């Protein structure tokens, strides 16, 4: 029993200290916010950006728990830090007496945002619990120039914080240069790519680290 208890505590600690922002998670939240998809239980008709960010405290897709005043203050601090007041309300919206969900006129609808804006909201969500390690897997994939620059600027600001380490996975050398990270692991020559048309044999693949 002691060993089992230790493992539970250990895993919980890892989940608290480690956050991942990936395309897979992004698409899962988009599906949840999509009003045409009703497979999620207790889903409001409108999923606001405020709810998305606050759900980070509970590691849930959707907000099902009460948000404390401390939670609200933390959210507002990160909204200020990332300068996303246009995406998440500066003042926390209130729930009406007749509807427990937040209305679209009080806070932006997460589903209606662009892909880049959604990723900024999810970045804010990832940071509200103060993780020590943040893993970003191709975060700018599919973003327009403006939204890509906005996300990169947010990450540059975050990289200056001494209490969080960032692992950034990308195939774009220009992003590595823009972020100016001190340590870079290059998995092979970025000018060469493995494709289905490659003439490389299976035995050859075991002789080196796979490239992008």
């Amino acid at each position: 029993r002691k060993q089992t208890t230790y493992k539970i505590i250990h895993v919980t600690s890892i989940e608290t200290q480690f956050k991942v922002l990936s395309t897979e998670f992004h698409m899962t939240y988009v599906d949840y916010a999509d009003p045409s998809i009703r497979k999620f239980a207790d889903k409001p008709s409108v999923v606001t950006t405020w709810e998305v960010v606050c759900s980070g405290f509970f590691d849930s897709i959707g907000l099902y728990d009460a948000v404390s005043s401390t939670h609200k203050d933390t959210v507002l601090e990160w909204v200020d830090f990332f300068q996303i007041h246009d995406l998440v309300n500066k003042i926390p919206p209130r729930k009406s007496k007749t509807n427990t969900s937040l209305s679209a006129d009080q806070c932006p609808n997460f589903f209606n945002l662009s892909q880049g804006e959604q990723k900024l909201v999810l970045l804010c969500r990832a940071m509200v619990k103060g993780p020590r390690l943040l893993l970003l897997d191709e975060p700018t994939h599919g973003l327009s120039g403006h939204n890509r620059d906005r996300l990169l600027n947010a990450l540059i600001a975050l990289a200056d914080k001494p209490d969080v380490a960032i692992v950034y996975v990308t195939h774009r050398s220009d992003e590595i240069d823009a972020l100016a990270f001190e340590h870079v692991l290059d998995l092979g020559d970025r000018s060469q790519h493995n494709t289905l048309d490659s003439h490389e044999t299976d035995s050859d693949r075991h002789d080196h680290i796979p490239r992008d």
Side-chain angles (χ1 to χ4, degrees):
R1 292 183 180 177
K2 290 183 178 180
Q3 185 177 9
T4 302
T5 302
Y6 170 77
K7 287 182 178 179
I8 293 175
I9 293 174
H10 184 61
V11 171
T12 302
S13 177
I14 292 176
E15 290 177 348
T16 301
Q17 299 297 320
F18 176 62
K19 292 295 179 183
V20 178
L21 181 54
S22 64
T23 299
E24 180 181 3
F25 179 75
H26 181 188
M27 291 300 100
T28 298
Y29 226 119
V30 169
D31 285 346
Y32 171 76
D34 188 341
S36 67
I37 299 177
R38 303 302 301 173
K39 66 180 181 179
F40 297 91
D42 301 325
K43 185 178 80 170
S45 58
V46 173
V47 178
T48 68
T49 54
W50 178 261
E51 292 171 301
V52 172
V53 174
C54 289
S55 69
F57 291 110
F58 311 102
D59 300 315
S60 60
I61 302 295
L63 183 61
Y64 309 98
D65 298 271
V67 178
S68 69
S69 58
T70 301
H71 289 153
K72 293 179 181 179
D73 291 341
T74 301
V75 170
L76 294 180
E77 288 175 4
W78 281 108
V79 169
D80 284 338
F81 180 83
F82 289 124
Q83 294 295 301
I84 55 172
H85 308 100
D86 56 321
L87 306 180
V88 183
N89 273 11
K90 176 69 176 177
I91 300 175
R94 296 180 179 179
K95 295 182 179 181
S96 67
K97 295 181 180 179
T98 58
N99 186 2
T100 57
S101 64
L102 300 172
S103 61
D105 60 340
Q106 293 175 311
C107 196
N109 183 342
F110 178 78
F111 184 74
N112 290 340
L113 299 181
S114 69
Q115 187 175 353
E117 291 170 337
Q118 290 173 346
K119 286 193 174 182
L120 281 166
V121 172
L122 291 176
L123 175 62
C124 188
R125 176 191 181 278
M127 294 308 302
V128 292
K129 288 181 73 172
R132 298 298 302 276
L133 178 63
L134 177 65
L135 171 61
L136 300 119
D137 185 6
E138 299 283 1
T140 64
H141 177 71
L143 301 191
S144 65
H146 170 73
N147 285 324
R148 175 174 169 269
D149 291 343
R150 189 176 182 185
L151 180 61
L152 287 175
N153 287 334
L155 294 175
I156 290 172
L158 184 61
D160 287 335
K161 295 181 70 66
D163 53 349
V164 58
I166 299 175
V167 176
Y168 190 92
V169 181
T170 183
H171 67 281
R172 300 188 55 156
S173 58
D174 57 331
E175 292 181 3
I176 296 174
D177 295 337
L179 293 168
F181 288 161
E182 183 178 354
H183 303 289
V184 177
L185 176 62
D186 186 354
L187 298 181
D189 185 354
R190 288 193 298 271
S191 65
Q192 300 180 22
H193 301 275
N194 288 336
T195 68
L196 293 176
D197 295 327
S198 173
H199 297 294
E200 186 182 44
T201 65
D202 289 339
S203 60
D204 292 332
R205 291 191 182 97
H206 292 291
D207 293 335
H208 66 279
I209 298 175
R211 300 186 175 94
D212 5 9

